[in-house]
């Protein structure tokens, strides 16, 4: 089974949402993990609240913000659209999803980012299923 790393600057919002949705929607095709180049101390409170509300996922039970050095070896690296150059991570495939950071924005912006992330996770699942 392939391992996918979702990478963002703070590993507190978009990459955590992607990791949670990957675990929920694609665990039969790939293993999901996430990390950040400058991780925050905790997952974004609005992301935690809305993922629990929309999907019943409590990200705080199974996920935490972590640095890139905490990642296991991965097959695929997905950057979230942070407009920063991520350090090199050995992988077979790399792509950028270009998602807007909803941090500090209204719930509607978070929900749109969550919806886009779900679509991209399902797309990646089909791509990796081959």
């Amino acid at each position: 089974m392939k391992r996918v790393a979702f990478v963002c600057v703070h590993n507190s919002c978009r990459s955590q949402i992607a990791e949670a949705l990957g675990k929920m929607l694609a665990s039969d095709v790939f293993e999901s993990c996430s990390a950040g180049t400058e991780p925050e101390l905790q997952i974004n409170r609005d992301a935690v609240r809305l993922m629990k509300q929309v999907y019943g996922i409590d990200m705080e039970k199974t996920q935490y913000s972590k640095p890139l050095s905490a990642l296991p070896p991965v097959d695929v690296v997905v950057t979230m659209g942070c407009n920063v150059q991520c350090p090199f991570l050995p992988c077979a495939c790399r792509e950028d999803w270009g998602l807007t950071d909803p941090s500090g924005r209204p719930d509607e912006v978070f929900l749109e980012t969550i919806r886009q992330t779900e679509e991209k996770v399902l797309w990646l699942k089909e791509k990796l299923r081959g």
Side-chain angles (χ1 to χ4, degrees), residues 5 24-25 31-32 39 48 50-51 56 63 69 71-73 78-79 85 91 93 98 105 117 120 124-125 127:
M24 183 181 90
L25 301 170
E31 181 183 333
S32 297
V48 169
L50 290 169
M51 288 295 286
Q63 296 173 214
S69 60
L71 286 174
V78 177
T79 53
Q85 183 60 39
C91 61
C93 176
R105 311 276 309 274
T117 305
K120 290 180 176 291
L124 183 60
K125 176 181 179 177
K127 177 181 176 181

Side-chain angles (χ1 to χ4, degrees), residues 18-50:
E19 177 181 352
L21 290 174
K23 288 176 177 176
M24 183 181 90
L25 301 170
S27 63
D28 58 326
V29 175
F30 62 82
E31 181 183 333
S32 297
C33 55
S34 69
T37 56
E38 301 169 22
E40 291 285 340
L41 296 177
Q42 67 181 21
I43 301 173
N44 180 290
R45 307 309 310 152
D46 291 320
V48 169
R49 176 177 55 82
L50 290 169

Side-chain angles (χ1 to χ4, degrees), residues 1-91:
M1 181 175 297
K2 298 215 182 291
R3 184 177 292 137
V4 176
F6 299 100
V7 177
C8 212
V9 175
H10 300 296
N11 189 221
S12 67
C13 192
R14 291 168 290 174
S15 55
Q16 292 286 351
I17 290 168
E19 177 181 352
L21 290 174
K23 288 176 177 176
M24 183 181 90
L25 301 170
S27 63
D28 58 326
V29 175
F30 62 82
E31 181 183 333
S32 297
C33 55
S34 69
T37 56
E38 301 169 22
E40 291 285 340
L41 296 177
Q42 67 181 21
I43 301 173
N44 180 290
R45 307 309 310 152
D46 291 320
V48 169
R49 176 177 55 82
L50 290 169
M51 288 295 286
K52 198 177 291 185
Q53 181 182 325
V54 174
Y55 297 99
I57 297 172
D58 187 350
M59 293 192 296
E60 293 179 307
K61 285 190 176 187
T62 60
Q63 296 173 214
Y64 60 95
S65 203
K66 57 201 148 312
L68 295 176
S69 60
L71 286 174
V74 298
D75 302 294
V76 178
V77 171
V78 177
T79 53
M80 305 310 289
C82 309
N83 296 321
V84 295
Q85 183 60 39
C86 289
F88 176 75
L89 289 172
C91 61

